[in-house]
Amino acid sequence: MTVASSSTLPSSVDLSHHLSSVAKSRSPSPLKEIIKYMAKLGMISLAGGLPHPSFFPITSLNATAYPSSTVLDTTSPSSPTDVIPLSVPLRPSPSSPFAISQSLQYSNPAGHLSLLDFAQQLTAKLHTPLYSDYTTLLNCGSTDGWSKVCTLLLEPGDYVLVEEQIYPSAQAAYIPLGCKGVVIGVDGEGARADLLEKTLASWDEQKGRRPHVMYIVPVGQNPLGSTMQSKRRKEIYDVCVKYDVIIVEDDPYTMLQFGPYSPDTPSLPASKDVDVDGFINAMEKSFLQHDYQGRVIRLETFSKTIAPGSRLGWFVSNSMFAERLLRGTEVQTQHPSGFSQMVVGQLLNEWGINGFLEWTTNLKEQYRVRRDWMLDAMSSHFDLVPAEKAGVKDALGVVAFRKGNRQPLLSFVPPLAGMFLWCDVYYSSNPSFQALTATGREDPESDYERTFWEKLNDANVLVTPGWYYRPWQGEEYKTTESRGGRVGELLGLKSRWVEWRGDEWQSESPQWTNEEQEVVSAKTNGRIVVTGGGGNIGKLLIRRLLSSHTPITVLDLIFHPDELEAIHEDLPQASSLLTVIHGDIRDEEILDEALTSDVVGVIHLAAVSRVGWCLENERDCEDVNVRGTDVVLSALERRVKGGWFIQASSREVYGNAKTFPVTEDTPNTPANAYGSTKSDAEKVIYQHAEESNLHAILLRLSNVYGGLADHHERLIPAIMTNALSHRPIQIVGGNQDLDMVHIDDVVDAFTLAVNHLESTSSSDASSVEVFNVGTGTSTPALELIRKVLALTNSSSPMQTIPGDDRFPDHYIGSTTKAKEVLGYQSRVSQDEGLLRLTVAFMYETLLYTHRKIQNDCQPKIYGIADLTELDGCTGTVGVDGPSGMEYLNADRSTESAPKFEWRDEDEPQVWTFEVKSLGGGQASVRFGQDVKGAKQYFESTPEGHLLGVDSRFTAEVEKETGYVNLLIDDKPVVPPHISSVSTRYRLTPFCCPNKAAPWPFFKEDPLASAISDQRLEKYRYFNASRVITLCERLHKARDVVHDKWTKLRTLTPPLHLEEAPLPAGEPFDWRLRTLDTCTNLCDHPTVCLDTGDCACALGACSSRIRYPFTAFANVPSLSYPPPTIHWDELAMYDPDVLIKQVAQSSWFNVLRPPARRYLQGKPNFPSINLTRLPDEIQSDRDDYPGDFDKVQSTPHGCFSADSVMERGVKALSQQYSKDSLVFMPYFAGTKMMPPVEPWIQNALDHNLPSDFDPTGLIVPFTFDWGVCNTVLRNLFRVRDWSSVAPQMERISSWQPMGDLNSPCESSTARMSADLSGYRADQDIVIPARTCLQDKLRERFGDLADVRPCRQRSILVAFKGSLAGAGTSLRQKVACERPFTHIAEPQLVGGTTMRRYWNEMKPGADYMETIGDTVFCPVPRGTTGWATRTIDVIYAGCIPVLLGDQTHHPFWDMLDWNKFSVQINDQDIDHLERILLDYTWGDVQRMQTNLMLIRDAFLYPSEDDIEGNLRDRGPFFFAMHGTALLRQTKYPV
């Protein structure tokens, strides 16, 4: 043991309190103590049992070694020829410090003196500790050294601080001692000091004593490969001093440090120029260089620099620790191997310390070359993106993407030292992993990791699996999820990744931006509090202030994490300057938290900021806008001396001004409640200025537009988003002529106001200044619409509803004062602002489609492993036949053996798949059906002749498609009606009971694709694919938006935008009328995937919540203090909870915004005329009313909604006038669908004037297929055999059929959408008249009889016949999926609830079952399922809409997203998981909304037909929906 000393350095501090009880109790070994006397010259030793050296069989030791200057050739397998001899004599000799007779004898436990001296010199040369009594001591390598340290310092139950991944043998040393690891998070340098301190500072002593030992590998970390810089080491050392932690530094790779790697720089061969000094100066030094207390125990080894088999290393520590370690060595290993000491020692004796450094300088070059080779290979196979630009959560170093693909595959830190490349592999989107997750395994991540590792082994690639390195933290941290494993998912569209991938477009930035325009910068002396900073203006204002390095505290109720994250990514200074507090401005405690001592002022944006919102709850609007302002000001005065205040006021304070432009001294005469609250808030500010030293600015904003984070209900965002998706643009009145100011100008105004107050607020006298913020000009709303229509090349219809006097429709504000005092002027013209917004939306869509393609449209390689996943599943077997997709069918109509055949149909039979791997790329396959308790199998001869002898086939999978080839005796199985030599089969699973759905087969349903993706086709293609179809549409959509975006580049300043003509046509004239329906994607920026050859349909997607008080609209209560509702308890035990919630809610909140705006105006029913029927029919109608009116009980069901609607119209009918609607009764149910043409022609010829426009005529079709007017139940026969009456082309219908997949025209092989069974912009979807309507009222009519969701016992239930085009969907729904394993679902207790498929609740009827069920699936399709929809809604069961291909009743008026759940086909395999992600609060709100509008689905009883005019029932919504359609005009 060698002790270094220096008189100028302090001694180590007393750290003996860290010793374990074992270490404290150790005493010197008597035998080892006596050995030192045996070495005395002339000593006659009779002590001990030492073997006599003359009996050692080794008499000489000779070897050769490389000279220290040797440069190994990495590229050559040959070895250098220059060597030096090494020779160890038998007995001591002056020529050698080693002798065999001594080295192979029991010897000094501290190690040979020459090696100890070497270790001491190397430590002094490289790492120089900052205390005097550091000591070196040999051990048998670092593993042995760490094991000894564990017994030195640890007690059972202790915790050891370790990095996120740990060398396995390191924890193997302390786990048997009863110790556990405490993980410290890492980054690219290794352990983070801030997380270390957080762990220590927050340690819960109830767990055990705070950790006092940290194990760390700072260079070339095994396995992470990270290398810690000196600054980080100092930070960690300081934390360890603060919390009294011993640092155990295991540093085997310190001599293998090399420079950084760059994929853009060619890799260089190993350098032959040895620069030892340069190497020493560049290397990262030990923690010892910071250690002034002696709390670092360093472990070094010869394993990586000479040979691991030498098992030789050394400690560096303070003398007290070394002495205790020596005592342990005496009884654990006694001393390092004598062979190792004399061989290594003799080599070092030849080399000397400088030779050793020369050797390692050469050696690290060899490992650097190998590192470069490895990373070059990674770079050649993947796109490598720096983690900070990749947009992958928690990624470190670089992220590897498949070439040209934006799905992350793995990430790694390019090592600066050592031998390891640690890869975080991202497989959360891998279908096999998703399937594994759905099985409910405790730790699917680890299970898949093991599977992935085994597959690599099978491919002869051996890597070390990640689970080897996971620190043991105890049983409670056994799973990946419990340990907080990395997520590795792509971030949102604002991430750096998207910006990086978008370089190809960013390089083509529009030429109309003024790059020389100076940005207005803030000049402040302290922190600014921004209330409402998470809003549209707030987020851009925050960016502006941060760019000026202004500290900011945001106080808001909503700040979406991805938008906040984007700010941090774009402005790194946000991490130190930006604080976000979630809370209400009326909460004084929150305000006190926000108004810290460094605050100089407040920008007050938080408010109810729209006239419409204020009108929906005037009381709450006043409380937020007026009292909220008062509370903020009072807090500012209380917490900040001399703080200034900027109020976001509004032009609404002026009301209906008479003189323009309006100047700031114009009296406040607000025309609505919103304007009044803003005016009263200004009065509050003036009052505070009178009572205290307050300097304030009131900015009266004109109509602000231009931000992507704006509320989509505002005027310009609503116009823009609807124009981009060709959906109707609604305008209220149409006379608006308003000052529209771009958000960039508004941010300028706030910044200038800050600068003004910062320069003037030092005055003692209070001041309140008012400035208008606008453009000083106005733009008519219709002009805005025309320009947007032209910019977007839109085919949007335009809907005009009556104006509202509460919305002032003309305003121009004077900005002269703002220019003179603040220096403000509007710099963004109206045309430029519209162009900027258009480009922003298009660019967002462009990035979205590009990302979606990269993520979802990469080719899948199929294999036998995928096929064997189908074992035990049920589904269909299809063949590529002459008529397209033909399905296997077993005809058992006779008692004889079944007749097997292949049929072209949309109700295919279901088979059970039995699949077993045969190896060699083949599997054994059987297809069976259960018949009377026995299994019957499909049989075929090799030639494909049916009723053959073999039911077992050999299957091979086409890698690119997943199609299956069936063989018998190596001969292809070909059905006899197919003339080709071979054919392909498709296996489509519908259900895999109690196991995960087999991806990707489950995702590919050719029948569903034929129904939903090829809705204008009569032919069912064998290769129909939902995935391929979506990807084709994504590519087309990206091309469409890119072309539009590119054209906008040609626009140069000064801008003078074109104006498109306003729409003026009828629905039939619409230029998109003949197009198929577009795909809706809820995560798409505008929902609709516009491919240029389709028409967008209204979806049921939820929009991002940006207004925090939505739940308080149209109700009398205040939003603050917010009601504290514990739904889990309240809804479970309070029988009146539903009644109370309905009483506190409003039906207006369940309407889509256009319908809400219209109906809040309390319009009357439109004028309508009931026309007569043909005489014979009219006589029957008059003489036998019961035949038409009663709820039908015939086999055809209850299809008399037409009669109910007719009687409603009759009660309102007026003499026909030019503006009247006309209703022509048509009794499809009663009269069994007679031809409608003569009925229409009769009305036109005899009852209506010759100039009557048929677009004003309404005809009800209340049977299954609506205007297709057929009873066929086969969808493809409907497409093929039925048609729409030509007279109906311009006539609207009221019908319960809202299926987008059911066009009906037989004139051509491919149909067009203009004669489909449902015209979304021409027809009104009404509910079917359920046969149970009277029983439903009797059972659930009283709200008290509707059981609140939390008090129901069934999670989900569905019972329905497996027939019709929806067969596959219903099969998938009614599958026994595992779900009870889901840990901690949001729906508390949901996993213990019951679930019923194709059966009722035991002992209960249909009514009791739906009345006791929380979620009721509703398959898409026609009215065959519509009555079920009505039943479950009225009973209070949340409808689960399957797919988005059906528009349910009053789809255009009711916001179905607020009272239903929508699940796409590909998500059915985890239906329960989706449902369990809702909270009871979510569910109760949906049920409350159901109750508010459920009357819309149930027709009045026969004895209360007057309810048509009294209630908000089907007639109410049908009439007003038709009125809205009549106020909509279409571009032709």
Side-chain angles (χ1 to χ4, degrees), residues 833 1473 1508:
R1473 182 180 291 273
N1508 267 329

Side-chain angles (χ1 to χ4, degrees), residues 108 152 220 304 332 361 701 756 788 798 833 898 981 1217 1323 1495:
N108 185 358
L152 175 78
K304 307 303 187 290
Q332 291 171 310
T361 301
L701 307 180
H756 181 68
V788 171
M798 190 173 81
V981 176
S1217 65
D1323 299 326
D1495 287 343

Side-chain angles (χ1 to χ4, degrees), residues 979-1024:
S979 58
S980 61
V981 176
S982 63
T983 190
R984 304 173 297 175
Y985 298 83
R986 289 188 73 169
L987 310 186
T988 304
F990 293 162
C991 177
C992 299
N994 295 310
K995 74 172 188 177
W999 292 84
F1001 282 99
F1002 185 85
K1003 194 173 184 178
E1004 286 289 19
D1005 183 346
L1007 179 57
S1009 181
I1011 293 171
S1012 300
D1013 300 331
Q1014 302 167 5
R1015 56 177 66 92
L1016 301 184
E1017 297 285 351
K1018 301 174 184 178
Y1019 182 87
R1020 284 195 294 280
Y1021 293 92
F1022 174 81
N1023 62 352

Side-chain angles (χ1 to χ4, degrees), residues 890-898 900 909-912 927-938:
D891 183 357
R892 295 187 174 87
S893 57
T894 65
E895 293 296 326
S896 59
F900 298 112
Q909 287 186 1
V910 174
W911 298 80
T912 299
F927 309 114
Q929 291 180 333
D930 290 318
V931 180
K932 297 180 180 180
K935 185 76 73 175
Q936 290 188 0
Y937 292 97
F938 165 59

Side-chain angles (χ1 to χ4, degrees), residues 1139-1413:
I1139 297 173
K1140 294 174 182 176
Q1141 287 302 304
V1142 170
Q1144 297 172 13
S1145 306
S1146 170
W1147 69 283
F1148 283 116
N1149 297 344
V1150 198
L1151 301 176
R1152 293 184 186 269
R1156 183 171 66 247
R1157 281 190 289 267
Y1158 172 70
L1159 290 175
Q1160 281 179 332
K1162 300 178 180 179
N1164 294 321
F1165 284 132
S1167 173
I1168 193 165
N1169 168 258
L1170 178 66
T1171 191
R1172 285 181 58 82
L1173 299 168
D1175 291 342
E1176 180 181 352
I1177 305 298
Q1178 189 66 54
S1179 296
D1180 285 349
R1181 178 71 182 98
D1182 295 339
D1183 296 340
Y1184 307 103
D1187 291 347
F1188 294 81
D1189 298 340
K1190 67 182 180 181
V1191 178
Q1192 297 290 336
S1193 57
T1194 66
H1196 300 295
C1198 307
F1199 298 99
S1200 53
D1202 41 22
S1203 163
V1204 181
M1205 292 304 211
E1206 177 217 30
R1207 284 176 282 171
V1209 171
K1210 186 174 183 179
L1212 292 177
S1213 183
Q1214 302 176 8
Q1215 186 70 29
Y1216 171 77
S1217 65
K1218 192 169 183 63
D1219 295 327
S1220 294
L1221 296 171
V1222 176
F1223 184 90
M1224 189 202 80
Y1226 176 70
F1227 304 104
T1230 305
K1231 293 296 183 179
M1232 280 309 298
M1233 288 165 295
V1236 71
E1237 295 92 328
W1239 294 35
I1240 296 173
Q1241 202 60 49
N1242 174 77
L1244 295 175
D1245 292 344
H1246 303 293
N1247 304 330
L1248 296 168
S1250 58
D1251 62 350
F1252 173 73
D1253 182 356
T1255 59
L1257 186 61
I1258 304 164
V1259 178
F1261 289 83
T1262 57
F1263 218 81
D1264 274 23
W1265 296 97
V1267 294
C1268 292
N1269 212 22
T1270 180
V1271 293
L1272 292 169
R1273 65 184 238 170
N1274 184 301
L1275 172 63
F1276 292 91
R1277 299 294 83 80
V1278 171
R1279 292 180 180 179
D1280 200 25
W1281 296 346
S1282 64
S1283 62
V1284 179
Q1287 290 88 341
M1288 287 299 300
E1289 290 179 354
R1290 307 185 70 89
I1291 296 171
S1292 296
S1293 74
W1294 290 355
Q1295 61 181 40
M1297 206 287 284
D1299 184 36
L1300 297 172
N1301 301 319
S1302 304
C1304 44
E1305 178 192 8
S1306 58
S1307 59
T1308 61
R1310 177 177 168 83
M1311 299 171 286
S1312 63
D1314 59 334
L1315 290 180
S1316 65
Y1318 165 56
R1319 293 84 49 96
D1321 293 293
Q1322 184 170 336
D1323 299 326
I1324 298 293
V1325 183
I1326 61 174
R1329 194 181 191 191
T1330 172
C1331 302
L1332 299 174
Q1333 68 170 36
D1334 294 330
K1335 292 182 179 179
L1336 285 167
R1337 280 200 177 89
E1338 179 182 349
R1339 187 70 168 268
F1340 304 112
D1342 189 333
L1343 201 56
D1345 294 328
V1346 178
R1347 192 173 302 162
C1349 280
R1350 187 65 177 99
Q1351 297 168 26
R1352 300 186 175 208
S1353 67
I1354 306 171
L1355 174 68
V1356 58
F1358 174 79
K1359 186 177 187 300
S1361 60
L1362 300 177
T1367 297
S1368 64
L1369 191 67
R1370 296 165 205 164
Q1371 290 270 7
K1372 293 176 182 178
V1373 170
C1375 181
E1376 287 294 334
R1377 290 170 293 272
F1379 80 100
T1380 57
H1381 65 279
I1382 297 174
E1384 298 182 2
Q1386 294 289 314
L1387 199 71
V1388 176
T1391 55
T1392 63
M1393 299 177 72
R1394 288 173 290 177
R1395 175 185 64 176
Y1396 296 109
W1397 299 132
N1398 291 324
E1399 62 177 333
M1400 300 299 177
K1401 173 183 175 182
D1405 61 6
Y1406 172 66
M1407 303 281 265
E1408 169 62 22
T1409 300
I1410 62 174
D1412 194 29
T1413 302

Side-chain angles (χ1 to χ4, degrees), residues 735-1032:
N735 297 318
Q736 296 93 331
D737 188 5
L738 301 171
D739 188 342
M740 311 295 295
V741 60
H742 193 270
I743 195 169
D744 288 347
D745 287 338
V746 173
V747 172
D748 280 351
F750 276 100
T751 308
L752 291 166
V754 168
N755 295 343
H756 181 68
L757 286 170
E758 281 286 288
S759 64
T760 61
S761 61
S762 58
S763 170
D764 292 336
S766 294
S767 65
V768 179
E769 298 176 274
V770 182
F771 302 99
N772 291 332
V773 177
T775 63
T777 60
S778 65
T779 304
L782 295 181
E783 180 182 320
L784 286 174
I785 293 174
R786 295 178 65 180
K787 288 181 176 179
V788 171
L789 291 175
L791 270 174
T792 58
N793 192 27
S794 177
S795 297
S796 281
M798 190 173 81
Q799 185 180 90
T800 305
I801 65 174
D804 190 329
D805 292 339
R806 297 172 299 175
F807 295 78
D809 56 13
H810 188 48
Y811 175 76
I812 304 174
S814 170
T815 59
T816 301
K817 181 181 176 183
K819 181 177 181 180
E820 292 174 350
V821 179
L822 301 180
Y824 166 82
Q825 61 180 359
S826 172
R827 301 192 287 179
V828 183
S829 70
Q830 182 70 77
D831 284 3
E832 182 179 331
L834 290 176
L835 181 57
R836 287 189 187 185
L837 185 60
T838 306
V839 166
F841 270 109
M842 287 185 176
Y843 188 61
E844 191 176 37
T845 301
L846 191 63
L847 294 176
Y848 169 86
T849 53
H850 186 75
R851 182 190 68 175
K852 195 82 171 172
I853 289 168
Q854 296 301 323
N855 289 348
D856 298 347
C857 299
Q858 299 308 310
K860 158 69 181 173
I861 302 301
Y862 293 81
I864 286 297
D866 297 309
L867 186 62
T868 56
E869 289 292 326
L870 299 183
D871 185 49
C873 300
T874 60
T876 59
V877 182
V879 70
D880 189 1
S883 56
M885 173 63 83
E886 298 177 3
Y887 289 101
L888 178 61
N889 182 79
D891 183 357
R892 295 187 174 87
S893 57
T894 65
E895 293 296 326
S896 59
K899 177 184 179 183
F900 298 112
E901 55 191 355
W902 299 93
R903 290 184 179 178
D904 170 19
E905 60 175 88
D906 60 1
E907 295 181 33
Q909 287 186 1
V910 174
W911 298 80
T912 299
F913 306 143
E914 296 181 10
V915 187
K916 306 297 179 186
S917 175
L918 297 175
Q922 293 184 327
S924 168
V925 178
R926 301 177 85 188
F927 309 114
Q929 291 180 333
D930 290 318
V931 180
K932 297 180 180 180
K935 185 76 73 175
Q936 290 188 0
Y937 292 97
F938 165 59
E939 298 174 347
S940 174
T941 64
E943 293 76 24
H945 295 294
L946 305 180
L947 291 177
V949 295
D950 205 332
S951 66
R952 194 180 303 276
F953 306 94
T954 299
E956 298 175 341
V957 179
E958 293 184 5
K959 292 192 298 184
E960 293 79 12
T961 63
Y963 302 157
V964 176
N965 298 314
L966 297 180
L967 309 167
I968 296 179
D969 297 331
D970 295 328
K971 296 180 180 179
V973 175
V974 182
H977 69 292
I978 296 177
S979 58
S980 61
V981 176
S982 63
T983 190
R984 304 173 297 175
Y985 298 83
R986 289 188 73 169
L987 310 186
T988 304
F990 293 162
C991 177
C992 299
N994 295 310
K995 74 172 188 177
W999 292 84
F1001 282 99
F1002 185 85
K1003 194 173 184 178
E1004 286 289 19
D1005 183 346
L1007 179 57
S1009 181
I1011 293 171
S1012 300
D1013 300 331
Q1014 302 167 5
R1015 56 177 66 92
L1016 301 184
E1017 297 285 351
K1018 301 174 184 178
Y1019 182 87
R1020 284 195 294 280
Y1021 293 92
F1022 174 81
N1023 62 352
S1025 165
R1026 304 222 66 183
V1027 175
I1028 292 175
T1029 301
L1030 175 60
C1031 291
E1032 290 174 347

Side-chain angles (χ1 to χ4, degrees), residues 303-322:
S303 294
K304 307 303 187 290
T305 54
I306 293 181
S310 68
R311 302 317 307 137
L312 196 60
W314 69 94
F315 300 100
V316 182
S317 73
N318 68 52
S319 56
M320 184 273 295
F321 282 160

